[in-house]
Amino acid sequence: MVSDDESGNMRALPLTEDTPPLIEVSQAVLEDYTDAVEYRRGPLNPDLHQSEPDDKSSTYTLTNVVPLIPNFLDTSWNPYLDIIRRRLNNFCHGKSFMVTGVTVSGATIQRENRDRLAIPKHLWLAYCCPRFDRNSPYEVRFMFPSYGGYALNEKTEQSVVEVPLKTLERFLKSQTDIDSDLTIFYKGCVSENTFKKKRDLTSVSV
C-alpha cells in the first residue's frame, strides 16, 4: 500500500518521467534495475501457473519480481517451474495451491547509495493438491498431496532440491529468525483422498 488513502486494488503508474515519491518508498521501481546488469527480474508467482488472463497479467508487476541471476533462472528455476506445471496438470484433480518465497542474506542492490532491492539467497516453492491421482506412477505419487523445492540464486549451476513439505519448513526456519513453528499450508495440506477413504470405511461399517 502506498498510503492509507489508497484502496487494495492495483492501478497503473502515471505516465510521467519521474516515479511518484510515495510509490518509490513503498516498492521497487524500474530505475532500481537500470544498473543491476548481473540480475534479471524473476517472477515469484509465474504466469504459467495462472489460468485466467487477468491473473497472468498481474504477475508482471514489480511487486511480484525479485533480482535473480540469469543463468540460475534459465537453467534451474524456470525448468523446475515447468516440471511442477506438468506434474500438477497430469496428476492433480481439481484446484492446486502454490506458495513461493525467498530467503535473504543481507545482500542488496543499491541506487544512489541507498539499499533498494534485497537479493535473494534462495528461491523456494511449495504446492498443495488436496485431490490427486492415487494411481499415478510411484516416482511422483509420493510428491502428493504436497511437496516443495528450493535452490541457491548463484552464478554457478544450482540444481533445485525437491523435498517433502515438512523438510522445506524446517529448512526455511533455519534460514530465518522465526522462533515459532513455520507452517506453509493449513494442517500441512490435508488430502481429500484421505477424507473420501474414511467416509467409505464408515459407510461399510454401518
Side-chain angles (χ1 to χ4, degrees):
M1 290 286 288
V2 172
S3 72
D4 294 336
D5 298 328
E6 295 286 344
S7 71
N9 297 321
M10 293 187 299
R11 61 184 177 86
L13 290 175
L15 297 177
T16 59
E17 291 186 2
D18 297 321
T19 303
L22 279 177
I23 292 176
E24 188 166 345
V25 168
S26 63
Q27 68 169 67
V29 294
L30 283 173
E31 290 89 342
D32 295 328
Y33 286 92
T34 301
D35 296 323
V37 294
E38 294 184 1
Y39 300 93
R40 189 191 304 166
R41 299 193 298 274
L44 284 174
N45 176 19
D47 69 342
L48 79 164
H49 287 156
Q50 310 301 320
S51 57
E52 300 298 327
D54 285 347
D55 294 334
K56 285 181 176 291
S57 63
S58 69
T59 65
Y60 290 93
T61 62
L62 286 171
T63 52
N64 184 51
V65 299
V66 290
L68 299 178
I69 300 292
N71 185 61
F72 162 75
L73 188 59
D74 293 336
T75 64
S76 297
W77 196 249
N78 281 344
Y80 171 63
L81 292 178
D82 190 56
I83 289 173
I84 298 302
R85 178 187 62 80
R86 287 185 279 113
R87 182 184 301 165
L88 295 177
N89 283 347
N90 291 335
F91 305 112
C92 185
H93 299 165
K95 289 184 177 180
S96 60
F97 305 90
M98 196 90 60
V99 179
T100 58
V102 301
T103 69
V104 293
S105 63
T108 62
I109 292 175
Q110 293 190 335
R111 180 167 61 87
E112 297 175 354
N113 296 319
R114 292 180 297 158
D115 292 336
R116 289 295 302 163
L117 303 171
I119 301 172
K121 180 180 178 182
H122 298 92
L123 204 57
W124 62 268
L125 174 152
Y127 64 80
C128 169
C129 170
R131 190 161 61 91
F132 58 93
D133 183 0
R134 298 190 71 87
N135 295 317
S136 58
Y138 172 76
E139 57 266 23
V140 295
R141 194 184 315 153
F142 71 92
M143 297 179 176
F144 287 94
S146 62
Y147 222 64
Y150 65 90
L152 273 170
N153 178 35
E154 291 190 351
K155 292 180 180 179
T156 55
E157 186 173 343
Q158 298 292 335
S159 299
V160 177
V161 181
E162 288 204 82
V163 292
L165 187 64
K166 286 294 183 184
T167 303
L168 177 61
E169 290 172 342
R170 287 195 297 269
F171 169 76
L172 294 177
K173 187 175 180 181
S174 73
Q175 298 291 314
T176 63
D177 297 327
I178 297 176
D179 294 327
S180 59
D181 290 339
L182 188 153
T183 303
I184 297 176
F185 296 111
Y186 178 67
K187 291 187 177 180
C189 180
V190 179
S191 168
E192 290 182 9
N193 302 54
T194 304
F195 287 144
K196 183 178 185 301
K197 185 177 180 180
K198 287 182 178 179
R199 286 197 297 270
D200 291 344
L201 289 174
T202 302
S203 62
V204 169
S205 61
V206 171

